[in-house]
Structure formats: C-alpha cells, structure tokens
Amino acid sequence: MVGVPDTALPCQAMTLQRIMKSTAQFFDEEIYDGDVLMCNLAYLGNTHMGEPLLASPVFHDGELMFWSMARGHLADMGTPAYVPTYPYAKDLYSEGLKIPPIKLFEKGKLRKDVLELYLGNLRARSSSYGDLMAHVACTWRGKEQLTSLLNTYGNDTIHLYTDELLDYTSRMVGEGIRQMKPGIYHGVDWMDSNGYGTKNIPVRVKLIVEDDMWTVDLSDCPAQMIGTLNASLHGTTESAVVGSLAFCVDPSIPKNEGFHRHINLVCPEGTICSATSPYSTQHSTTGAGEVVYRALLRAAAGAVPDMAPAGSTLIQWSTYIGIDEREGANKLWAYANFNESGGGGAAKGVDGHPSMLEMGVAGAMTFMSTEMEEWLHPIKVKQQEVYKDAQGAGTWRGAPGVITRVTGHGSSDLDIYTACWGHENLSHGTVGGGPGVGGTVYKFDPKEPDKRYFYSGLGKFQLQKDWEYVVISSGGGGYGDALERAAEDVAKDVRDGIVSVGAAKTSYGVVLEPTTFKIDHVATADLRSVLKEKRGELPLTSPTKPGTSTLRQNLMTENDVFTDLDRDPKEDSSHDLYGQ
C-alpha cells in the first residue's frame, strides 16, 4: 500500500492491501485493463460485510503498476433489517450479502449480471446503485491520476520513487519508536456487550517496545463469541494496531505500508481479535477493533506519554427505519445518524478534537447538517448541542459529548437500531487525566415527559409516533492533571457551556463567581492545594476497572424504566417490523 490520504478513516484504510491482495490472487493472471474488482469478505482481509473493497488495476506499458482502491460504509448490504450493520447477527450467514471476489466491470464493460445479483439483494435499489457507482468513480479518478504520473515519468522512475516513499515512512516510523522508552507495557479496555448477555468483554494487550519494533501481543483475549463484535486479524485488528502506532509517532509521516514493517502482531486464531469463519464481524470496527486501539494506547502511554492520546468518544449512532408518510412518498426509509457521536480525547498540549468520533475514525468523517437531515428524512431534530460536563477533565480536557433529541416528522412509528457504546464503560483518561462520563439512550412521550424509557446500547426498540428519542454521547478523556489546567481556560469553558460552575470547582479546583464567572484566584489556589493532598497519586490511565459508566443510573428516577436489549443466544432472530 503506497498511500492513504489523511481524509481516509484509519479503520477502513490501514489494511486495504490485505483484502486487495486476496481479491487479486483469486483472479490470478486474469486481470485486465478496465476491470473493477469487488469483495467484502472479512476472512479474506476485509473489515466487515458493510464495507466492500472496490478496486481498479492501473496498467502502463503492459505492466500492472498500481491498484486504485476505494472503501466506504454502504447503507444497505442486504442485512435482515434495513440497517448498515445488524446488531443481532449470530454468525457470518445472518449478516447480509456476502460478496466473494468478483468483477463488476471486465475490460471496461459493466457486468450487468453481477450488478443485478448485487442490487437484487438490497432494499434501496436506486440509492445503492448510486453509492456503488460513486465508489467505482473514485477508483477511476485515482486511476486517471496515477496514469498521468506514469505517462510523465515512466515505470522505472515511478518504481524508484514508490520504493523510496515506503522506505522513507519506514525510516521515520522506526526513528519514532527508537525515541520511545523501551520496555514491556500492558493495557486493557472493555466492550460493553456482545448483544447476547455477555458484558464488559476485555481486550488485553502486552506491548513490547524494543529497538524500532512494536510487538503487540493479544494472546490474553477472550475466545471468539456469538454476536457482532469479533474482529478478523488482518482486516480490523491489524488496522487498529497500525492506527495506534500512527497516533504515537510524527503525524506528518505518510501513511503507507512502511508502518507495517515495524509491527510484530501476536494474536492466536479463535479469539475475538483473530476470529475465524463463521463468526460474525458485523461491528468489528466499533467492537473489538476499536477496543484494541484503546487498550493499546493505554499501554503506549507508558512508553510514549507525550504522544499517546486519551480515549475518544465511545461511538453513538442509531439507525431509524420507518415508512415515509409525507405527501407522495409512502415508502420505506432509513437513516444511520452518526451526528449523535461526541468528540475526541485530549493529548499533550491540545484539548480533544470536537469532531473526532472514535479512535478508528480519527476525525476523518464528515457530518450532515441538521437542515439536510430534515430535508432528506421525515424527522425533526429538536435538540443537538454540547452535553455539559461529558468530557474527561485534565490539563488538556477531552472534547465535549453531545445530546441529540429527534422525533419522526411525517413518518410512521420508527424502529430504532442502536450501536451505542459507553453505557457500561468510559472513554479513558491518560497521564492522570479523567475519563469521559459515558453515554445512554432513552425515549419518552412528550405528553408524559417525566416517564422515560431507557435502553442498553446495542439492539432494537420501537419509537412510537410523535414520541422523542434522546441520545447522550460521552466526551473524550482528559490528559494530565486537571488541577494544572489554566484557570482562565476553565473559566472560558464555563462561559462556553462546556463545563459547569460546579465541575470547575470539583474537577479543576477553580472557584468562580457563579454569574460573572470571574476567577477567585486566592480561593482557587487554596482549593487546589487541598484537593491535591486528598487524592494522592493519579493513575497513568483511568478507569482501571470495567463497568464504571453510571450516566444512566444517575439520570434515572423512580418513574423511569430500563430495558436491556441483549437477547438470549438461543433465541431466533425476530421478524422485522418493516421487513415487507
């Protein structure tokens, strides 16, 4: 892999060469100019079923020089419900449409039979066709640009510079690792649930930093299990390991296969981080893969504390499904809302990025405007704003969390499919920083606002017509001692509605006049001195145990109801409300 743009999601892009190699090898020597290859099989090196590879070969003077590749999360891949990823997939066969290596185009000609086989398995034929062809067009655009380079400089020169680009990345990454503190480091983080009753699933990592190598040992991870959170080794886990290393070295280093030269990955088959067919990998990038990032960056904080960031928001995203009842519509609709997610973790010298999402996204995802959401879909966004005090405190604080409140507007009752984390576990703080506060979801009838119905984070429930749905996402973790944050920065955060006056005092030791937010410097100095003496030594990363998210419990009253959406593993998949 020669180049990954900064606008690409690391969880999708850092191991594209694995699925590319498997797909190309399937066709052996039967690859021609004008072909477009496609594959979405996790156990050939893909992430998961919803993110297929599209690739065009680039020939020049009869030599196959490059592959121009595209991968994105498609809205419909034939899942049992009209969702990008199905939370109750028990295995590979209940995920959706599996695409082995195929040719969508051959010698420049569209294979109508292959296209029809693909579209015939999907609900949203028109938009799915558009999404697919957009990916194809990306590969063609890359092919045009690479062909222009080859026409200008020739094969030999391009080979020379391509090799040097990979070697340059390798040298820079190796030098970055040599600047780390050698040694053996351990980290652990947890997944909330597998959707079938198993909670607080650990990912344990041992990191060995030696010379210019990272040896990442994931041997002490649980066995692969029922549910969607398993990860394929070379599609998702390796991507998370390389992505974590990229956080810990100079960010200007070009992202390519030069990173992989400095990774020794130990991960036995049959674990959640090296699952085997037919175990489901439907949520691998937000499941085991994302928690590999968090566990490994916890470990890396011991080796390179000046670079390893705190944990970003635990992703919150829901898919809404219903019948569009607006005039002239009367059709099935669905919308996967990533706008519900919060921001990133802090790092030394910088607060968390507000549009970071999870570690594997790394700020590369764009957000749809509220106006566009409401124009495209029969919903009304009644609230979308910073959720105060949701981020981890620190010398540099995490980015804020978000509260989103949505209702149908010209729609039938809605099926809500959630893939929302942070209900059990928290975005970790690092180098003494505090964790984020976690997340939760609930619904309520505006006629009875004092009775709310809370749910666990992975599963499905129904939103009745005219009811409102609320998602609260965690902010990112903090970096460094919160009592060392500049009091002026804390006061600014209070004025901006990110931190409350109470949290300024209890978390940062900053005493403010409650209406003008003027700093009482004498009282602040005295309070900070007392707080430092009381608390003792701060942990390198926190929390240090699973199940520490209490946001839902803190919000619930005796009038509220909680439903755990986890299913019995023996239960068959339920019928989908809008399956017709």
Side-chain angles (χ1 to χ4, degrees):
M1 184 170 62
V2 177
V4 174
D6 289 337
T7 52
L9 277 62
C11 64
Q12 292 179 341
M14 296 302 281
T15 53
L16 264 173
Q17 76 275 23
R18 303 303 187 199
I19 182 65
M20 184 69 257
K21 183 176 181 180
S22 299
T23 303
Q25 284 179 340
F26 178 83
F27 290 100
D28 197 14
E29 297 179 1
E30 297 179 348
I31 295 171
Y32 311 106
D33 189 29
D35 287 355
V36 176
L37 275 54
M38 184 177 184
C39 182
N40 76 347
L41 298 185
Y43 295 114
L44 288 183
N46 201 40
T47 50
H48 62 83
M49 175 272 300
E51 299 176 341
L53 166 77
L54 277 300
S56 292
V58 182
F59 287 91
H60 191 258
D61 291 341
E63 183 180 359
L64 177 56
M65 293 291 294
F66 295 103
W67 287 94
S68 176
M69 301 175 287
R71 177 195 275 159
H73 205 315
L74 300 182
D76 186 4
M77 285 298 291
T79 52
Y82 188 12
V83 290
T85 51
Y86 184 61
Y88 296 122
K90 291 183 175 181
D91 54 32
L92 209 59
Y93 303 104
S94 53
E95 290 184 346
L97 179 61
K98 298 183 295 298
I99 304 172
I102 59 173
K103 289 187 180 182
L104 184 61
F105 285 77
E106 187 165 30
K107 298 180 180 179
K109 185 176 180 180
L110 174 65
R111 299 238 355 234
K112 294 182 179 179
D113 54 346
V114 172
L115 177 63
E116 186 57 36
L117 178 64
Y118 172 72
L119 295 176
N121 279 277
L122 310 182
R123 296 169 178 82
R125 185 182 182 91
S126 176
S127 60
S128 294
Y129 174 77
D131 286 348
L132 181 67
M133 289 302 133
H135 283 70
V136 171
C138 287
T139 72
W140 287 343
R141 179 59 177 150
K143 178 180 177 180
E144 288 175 4
Q145 294 175 314
L146 290 165
T147 298
S148 176
L149 278 175
L150 290 162
N151 286 338
T152 302
Y153 297 105
N155 291 11
D156 290 343
T157 299
I158 294 298
H159 274 306
L160 177 67
Y161 278 86
T162 298
D163 290 344
E164 174 53 29
L165 177 60
L166 298 177
D167 290 344
Y168 171 77
T169 288
S170 179
R171 289 195 300 272
M172 293 292 288
V173 171
E175 180 57 31
I177 296 175
R178 288 191 188 95
Q179 293 176 12
M180 299 178 190
K181 182 180 177 182
I184 299 174
Y185 305 92
H186 294 86
V188 60
D189 212 298
W190 304 270
M191 290 178 275
D192 283 2
S193 171
N194 69 341
Y196 283 97
T198 303
K199 307 286 189 184
N200 298 320
I201 305 159
V203 169
R204 302 181 185 91
V205 61
K206 179 169 73 173
L207 169 64
I208 303 172
V209 179
E210 185 176 13
D211 193 27
D212 66 349
M213 292 294 296
W214 262 24
T215 295
V216 177
D217 190 341
L218 291 160
S219 299
D220 192 22
C221 286
Q224 57 196 4
M225 62 183 66
I226 187 173
T228 59
L229 304 184
N230 304 287
S232 63
L233 179 62
H234 293 300
T236 301
T237 298
E238 183 182 3
S239 177
V241 170
V242 175
S244 297
L245 176 56
F247 275 117
C248 295
V249 295
D250 185 342
S252 70
I253 299 174
K255 308 300 186 292
N256 59 45
E257 201 157 353
F259 271 87
H260 294 255
R261 300 176 185 177
H262 299 273
I263 296 290
N264 177 29
L265 181 54
V266 180
C267 189
E269 275 195 354
T271 65
I272 56 172
C273 296
S274 183
T276 58
S277 181
Y279 281 86
S280 173
T281 63
Q282 186 93 105
H283 284 110
S284 63
T285 51
T286 58
E290 175 66 12
V291 182
V292 168
Y293 267 103
R294 297 169 187 274
L296 184 49
L297 288 171
R298 282 175 178 254
V304 56
D306 288 354
M307 294 294 289
S312 65
T313 185
L314 291 140
I315 195 166
Q316 305 275 332
W317 65 283
S318 311
T319 300
Y320 320 143
I321 309 172
I323 302 296
D324 188 341
E325 296 177 343
R326 292 176 294 183
E327 186 177 354
N330 192 32
K331 63 179 181 180
L332 180 69
W333 71 278
Y335 171 44
N337 189 0
F338 284 89
N339 287 14
E340 297 167 351
S341 290
K348 186 175 182 179
V350 61
D351 292 337
H353 189 285
S355 298
M356 172 78 172
L357 263 78
E358 60 180 4
M359 310 302 297
V361 171
M365 186 176 287
T366 54
F367 292 87
M368 187 182 296
S369 71
T370 298
E371 293 79 8
M372 187 62 73
E373 285 183 286
E374 295 179 337
W375 181 69
L376 287 173
H377 309 293
I379 61 172
K380 180 176 285 187
V381 181
K382 305 194 80 170
Q383 182 183 16
Q384 186 137 51
E385 59 188 47
V386 164
Y387 190 67
K388 194 176 290 186
D389 295 334
Q391 67 284 337
T395 310
W396 296 277
R397 59 156 176 80
V402 173
I403 181 169
T404 303
R405 183 161 55 96
V406 175
T407 187
H409 188 64
S411 177
S412 65
D413 294 350
L414 301 181
D415 276 357
I416 305 290
Y417 280 85
T418 62
C420 298
W421 313 124
H423 296 220
E424 304 290 337
N425 295 287
L426 302 175
S427 308
H428 72 274
T430 198
V431 193
V437 301
T440 192
V441 301
Y442 62 87
K443 68 178 183 181
F444 68 95
D445 182 350
K447 297 174 184 176
E448 296 183 87
D450 293 333
K451 185 169 186 177
R452 299 170 296 180
Y453 298 82
F454 286 78
Y455 295 92
S456 56
L458 183 63
K460 168 195 170 184
F461 61 91
Q462 191 173 73
L463 183 70
Q464 294 87 335
K465 201 169 186 176
D466 298 326
W467 284 41
E468 296 184 8
Y469 173 51
V470 178
V471 179
I472 300 174
S473 65
S474 178
Y479 181 102
D481 186 350
L483 299 181
E484 299 297 328
R485 184 169 178 83
E488 291 75 15
D489 290 340
V490 177
K492 182 178 184 300
D493 287 340
V494 172
R495 288 195 298 271
D496 290 343
I498 295 171
V499 175
S500 67
V501 172
K505 185 175 183 179
T506 58
S507 298
Y508 294 94
V510 175
V511 181
L512 302 172
E513 200 284 323
T515 55
T516 65
F517 308 138
K518 183 179 178 181
I519 303 168
D520 185 331
H521 289 282
V522 173
T524 293
D526 290 344
L527 178 59
R528 285 184 160 183
S529 178
V530 170
L531 291 175
K532 281 185 178 181
E533 187 174 345
K534 274 186 177 181
R535 72 176 184 204
E537 186 177 353
L538 294 170
L540 179 63
T541 66
S542 66
T544 57
K545 61 182 181 180
T548 51
S549 178
T550 59
L551 178 64
R552 180 182 69 241
Q553 293 88 330
N554 293 340
L555 290 176
M556 286 185 68
T557 70
E558 61 182 11
N559 295 325
D560 297 327
V561 177
F562 171 68
T563 301
D564 192 329
L565 297 174
D566 279 12
R567 288 185 175 174
D568 185 332
K570 298 176 182 178
E571 180 183 335
D572 290 331
S573 296
S574 67
H575 297 292
D576 187 66
L577 179 63
Y578 301 110
Q580 75 270 23

